[in-house]
Amino acid sequence: MCGIVGYSGEQQASEILLDGLERLEYRGYDSAGIAVISPEGELQIRKTKGRLKVLKSLTDNGRVFNGSTGIGHTRWATHGEPSDVNSHPHLGDRNTIAVVHNGIIENYAEIKEYLISKGKVFSSETDTEVIAQLMEYYYEKERDLMASVYKTISNIKGAYALGILCRDYPDVLIAARKDAPLLLGYSDKGHFIASDVTALLKYTREVSYMDDGEVAFIRKDRIEVFDEFGAPVEKEHHYIDWDVSAAEKQGYPHFMFKEIMEQPEAARSTIVPRISSGRIAFENFSLSDEYLKSINKIVIVACGSSYHVGMVGKYTLERLIKMPISVSLASEFRYADPLIDENALIIAISQSGETLDTMEAIREAKRHGSKILSIVNVKGSSIVRESDEVIYTLAGPEIAVATTKAYSTQLIVLNMFGIYLAELLGTIEKEEYIQLIAELRALPDKMSAVLEDTERIKLYASRYFNQESIFYIGRNIDYALGLEGGLKLKEISYIHSESYAAGELKHGTISLIDNGTLVMAVGTYGKLLEKTISNILEVKTRGADVIALTTDSHREAMEKAADMVITVPEAPVILLPSLGIIPLQLFAYYVALMRGCDIDKPRNLAKSVTVE
Ligand code: F6R
């Protein structure tokens, strides 16, 4: 969603801010702006609705501003439509304080009313403007910068990551955080703040993560951090090992295509370090064997594609550990008064580690005494810090809004945890365990083999990219795969899709099948193949065109029923979704490409969803 970058150092700030914002574009935004303090203490601001290139041309690529301390922002509108005036940074009405903000201020209306009664004049509809106005109000009364920051944050309710400038302090950048990500970056040439590490990779790998309630004063030569009571805090420094090139297109037409192609490598990076001497082991894993043996329920909570990973996991983990697994949309779980206690393990799945709904679901589970194991891609993210244990997906930065390699690595981690737990609980035979380890090792090469057959998928996409609606059907793991396939298609191509459990179709949805309707039938699970074929015949009888996805050994059977067939190599059932998802991702990608869609930045979507 919104992005923040800030800098105080020896270089011109505006170019660094614009470059950092460019690297945050992938998160989704509708307007952008920067503020830089001039050496004479003037707050210079440019902000505009639309893409960053508009801001760049308005500022001659940042050259119109002289100054080495500044803040930048990309906004994804919540309070107030996307417009120049609602864009960040926001100023107090005396032009003393400038603020950029990610998050939502819940009591902004009440504060605004108070400030208006004190004579403050507002210019935007945003919740953020009240922060700038309130801080300026305190600062003008007391002339104490630190005190006015603390007074402001103690009066606002909600979530915030803030970057603040005061024109009387031309070399100081202030940051504050509560329930929204913000990190500090360290380098010889100056210091940084950012809402997402990708904004800083070009300048530094040394970062620390701000915690809730903390305030930081950032200058060219030092960063001072204080806790919620104003006491100094020593921050732990972390080294980010992501490669800058991993966040660049490197000749690929889209990040999404690049990330689809990177899946074998991402899978290898995620699998290999977790297998040692033929057994699965997670580094520094703190959930004890005794604790894991005491759990009687697992609940997976997540949103969107991460939820779809959970849907696959329900089938695969129940099979492995013979324990009831429930999967809940995080946004529903948190208000459902869940029936969990200290014997329930909650698995939270999140690529970004910042999804607010998932975070709130974790907090709800903790109130019930349950432990949280999270599966996350971004180190140091908020969900990691609120979990009892984390297993990272080692997918590297994922830039395209539509997830691909993060989904695949989440699936792998969840299955690896299932196999690990099955061995511990004694619910898996030794031979099957050994076979699964060997198959996990072989998985990246099988994924590469699937990626070799892109031409066939492109051909099918060219036949159907003009469809109004596409149906995905499947049973068991294939139903879960269909859910993700359908979501991929919807989000990047804007074609309506329905994903149905194949046996459920005849209970209503089959009325939508007509001559020429495309049905994508997912049938990788050999045991249920015949059942899925019956469902294919049902839709074919009603005029549908069917593309079937199955494994190599079932090609012939599928060819008798479907119009077109795509196959993936054989694998144990729990690993099949890691192969089956690839053609579905590619199909959505090519359809969107042929429709001329903005694949990496689909309309209305954001990469990390930090609002409820
Ligand atoms: C779809 C997609 C979203 C995310 C969802 C959860 O391609 O990316 O559905 O999966 O917003 O995000 P995370 O995994 O960051 O919690």
Side-chain angles (χ1 to χ4, degrees):
M1 302 197 114
C2 307
I4 289 180
V5 188
Y7 173 73
S8 181
E10 58 189 43
Q11 291 169 272
Q12 287 294 320
S14 47
E15 283 154 45
I16 293 175
L17 299 174
L18 288 170
D19 179 76
L21 291 180
E22 199 167 355
R23 286 160 206 281
L24 296 182
E25 273 193 298
Y26 76 98
R27 299 177 65 92
Y29 69 106
D30 44 53
S31 49
I34 57 172
V36 174
I37 315 187
S38 72
E40 300 74 38
E42 187 206 344
L43 277 174
Q44 314 160 92
I45 294 205
R46 286 286 187 292
K47 51 185 194 167
T48 176
K49 183 182 163 185
R51 292 287 182 205
L52 208 55
K53 60 177 187 240
V54 185
L55 182 66
K56 282 185 165 176
S57 76
L58 282 175
T59 59
D60 188 16
N61 280 320
R63 281 186 279 270
V64 295
F65 292 154
N66 181 22
S68 54
T69 300
I71 48 180
H73 192 263
T74 44
R75 174 175 188 252
W76 192 86
T78 55
H79 294 62
E81 57 168 9
S83 68
D84 292 356
V85 74
N86 287 335
S87 313
H88 299 211
H90 286 282
L91 281 171
D93 62 359
R94 309 274 177 93
N95 293 352
T96 307
I97 301 287
V99 170
V100 288
H101 165 222
N102 287 358
I104 286 181
I105 302 306
E106 288 158 13
N107 60 340
Y108 84 101
E110 182 184 312
I111 298 175
K112 189 167 180 176
E113 200 177 288
Y114 171 77
L115 290 170
I116 289 172
S117 77
K118 296 289 174 192
K120 284 270 177 201
V121 179
F122 280 76
S123 47
S124 80
E125 299 159 79
T126 66
D127 53 339
T128 303
E129 191 183 350
V130 301
I131 306 173
Q133 299 272 22
L134 186 64
M135 191 169 148
E136 189 174 270
Y137 173 73
Y138 291 135
Y139 180 71
E140 283 181 344
K141 273 169 100 179
E142 300 177 21
R143 294 273 149 198
D144 180 336
L145 187 62
M146 188 156 174
S148 41
V149 174
Y150 272 88
K151 258 184 133 161
T152 303
I153 59 177
S154 67
N155 279 294
I156 54 178
K157 288 192 193 131
Y160 52 81
L162 297 173
I164 305 166
L165 301 177
C166 173
R167 76 169 171 211
D168 297 342
Y169 294 82
D171 59 347
V172 180
L173 159 66
I174 305 154
R177 164 199 159 120
K178 184 175 163 278
D179 289 339
L182 199 57
L183 50 93
L184 305 166
Y186 305 80
S187 88
D188 298 344
K189 297 200 167 98
H191 292 113
F192 304 83
I193 63 169
S195 51
D196 179 330
V197 73
T198 45
L200 303 186
L201 285 179
K202 188 171 155 192
Y203 305 99
T204 182
R205 302 305 179 90
E206 195 185 338
V207 302
S208 56
Y209 302 102
M210 289 189 75
D211 285 305
D212 279 349
E214 285 180 350
V215 173
F217 287 76
I218 296 113
R219 293 178 173 85
K220 179 165 85 176
D221 57 346
R222 64 185 187 281
I223 298 184
E224 293 162 294
V225 184
F226 303 91
D227 70 10
E228 58 188 306
F229 307 108
V233 176
E234 274 305 315
K235 296 299 290 178
E236 194 184 333
H237 289 213
H238 300 263
Y239 181 78
I240 304 293
D241 54 10
W242 281 355
D243 189 354
V244 188
S245 63
E248 283 164 5
K249 276 195 211 145
Q250 294 178 296
Y252 284 94
H254 296 98
F255 277 110
M256 183 179 177
F257 190 64
K258 173 175 177 257
E259 288 160 5
I260 290 174
M261 291 297 170
E262 282 173 348
Q263 287 179 111
E265 216 30 63
R268 195 168 282 114
S269 308
T270 300
I271 295 167
V272 171
R274 276 72 184 254
I275 300 181
S276 148
S277 312
R279 297 188 63 218
I280 293 176
F282 301 109
E283 206 188 352
N284 300 325
F285 198 59
S286 67
L287 298 182
S288 68
D289 292 359
E290 195 191 3
Y291 163 73
L292 289 172
K293 284 180 181 165
S294 76
I295 59 176
N296 58 17
K297 189 189 245 187
I298 291 182
V299 183
I300 301 173
V301 294
C303 306
S305 294
S306 299
Y307 168 77
H308 294 156
V309 170
M311 288 292 287
V312 176
K314 175 177 167 56
Y315 294 113
T316 59
L317 263 61
E318 279 185 349
R319 189 186 177 87
L320 285 164
I321 61 174
K322 323 280 184 241
M323 192 188 288
I325 313 281
S326 45
V327 193
S328 190
L329 289 164
S331 53
E332 289 294 311
F333 177 87
R334 54 183 293 204
Y335 298 116
D337 206 3
L339 298 173
I340 50 169
D341 56 22
E342 62 284 356
N343 295 116
L345 172 67
I346 309 305
I347 302 182
I349 307 177
S350 175
Q351 185 282 132
S352 61
E354 300 295 347
T355 303
L356 188 69
D357 285 321
T358 308
M359 180 103 84
E360 290 298 339
I362 287 177
R363 291 177 180 159
E364 175 65 15
K366 282 170 113 177
R367 283 191 280 275
H368 289 256
S370 307
K371 278 203 195 305
I372 317 295
L373 168 65
S374 58
I375 296 176
V376 174
N377 195 41
V378 179
K379 294 208 171 126
S381 52
S382 309
I383 287 176
V384 171
R385 284 179 297 146
E386 298 213 13
S387 302
D388 296 286
E389 187 50 276
V390 55
I391 308 176
Y392 284 108
T393 49
L394 302 174
E398 189 178 65
I399 306 295
V401 164
T403 182
T404 52
K405 63 176 180 171
Y407 170 93
S408 290
T409 50
Q410 288 169 344
L411 211 51
I412 287 168
V413 166
L414 191 59
N415 277 327
M416 288 184 87
F417 177 66
I419 301 168
Y420 171 85
L421 198 53
E423 195 206 15
L424 182 74
L425 302 179
T427 52
I428 187 170
E429 296 294 332
K430 196 159 178 220
E431 299 70 57
E432 192 186 355
Y433 184 85
I434 293 170
Q435 190 217 357
L436 284 175
I437 299 291
E439 289 285 351
L440 273 169
R441 285 197 161 119
L443 191 63
D445 285 344
K446 291 187 183 178
M447 292 167 93
S448 297
V450 179
L451 285 166
E452 274 162 22
D453 194 13
T454 55
E455 284 309 310
R456 178 190 301 268
I457 297 164
K458 205 177 191 172
L459 172 71
Y460 296 163
S462 72
R463 290 184 192 158
Y464 292 99
F465 72 92
N466 272 329
Q467 289 268 316
E468 271 180 23
S469 188
I470 297 180
F471 290 75
Y472 289 74
I473 59 168
R475 290 168 179 264
N476 195 274
I477 51 165
D478 291 323
Y479 164 48
L481 266 181
L483 290 171
E484 177 60 7
L487 177 62
K488 286 284 89 78
L489 182 85
K490 279 187 259 223
E491 57 183 336
I492 59 167
S493 75
Y494 316 139
I495 294 181
H496 167 256
S497 78
E498 297 273 348
S499 300
Y500 257 77
E504 185 64 14
L505 209 62
K506 59 187 166 298
H507 296 289
T509 320
I510 203 160
S511 63
L512 297 172
I513 305 292
D514 207 347
N515 274 344
T517 307
L518 180 64
V519 175
M520 183 73 83
V522 188
T524 64
Y525 187 11
K527 202 173 123 188
L528 297 176
L529 191 73
E530 282 190 11
K531 300 281 172 203
T532 305
I533 287 180
S534 307
N535 301 124
I536 291 176
L537 297 176
E538 278 164 16
V539 292
K540 278 210 60 69
T541 313
R542 283 150 184 93
D545 288 4
V546 176
I547 303 178
L549 172 63
T550 188
T551 56
D552 291 338
S553 63
H554 297 116
R555 175 184 284 280
E556 224 174 285
M558 271 301 196
E559 273 173 351
K560 288 189 188 134
D563 301 290
M564 291 146 280
V565 178
I566 301 166
T567 61
V568 296
E570 297 301 330
V573 57
I574 68 162
L575 301 183
L576 280 173
S578 296
L579 302 173
I581 192 58
I582 296 173
L584 301 182
Q585 294 167 341
L586 283 168
F587 181 76
Y589 173 78
Y590 286 124
V591 166
L593 188 69
M594 288 163 194
R595 290 167 74 90
C597 298
D598 189 353
I599 293 181
D600 285 337
K601 291 184 226 101
R603 68 184 180 209
N604 304 337
L605 291 176
K607 183 67 183 161
S608 103
V609 184
T610 49
V611 295
E612 201 180 332

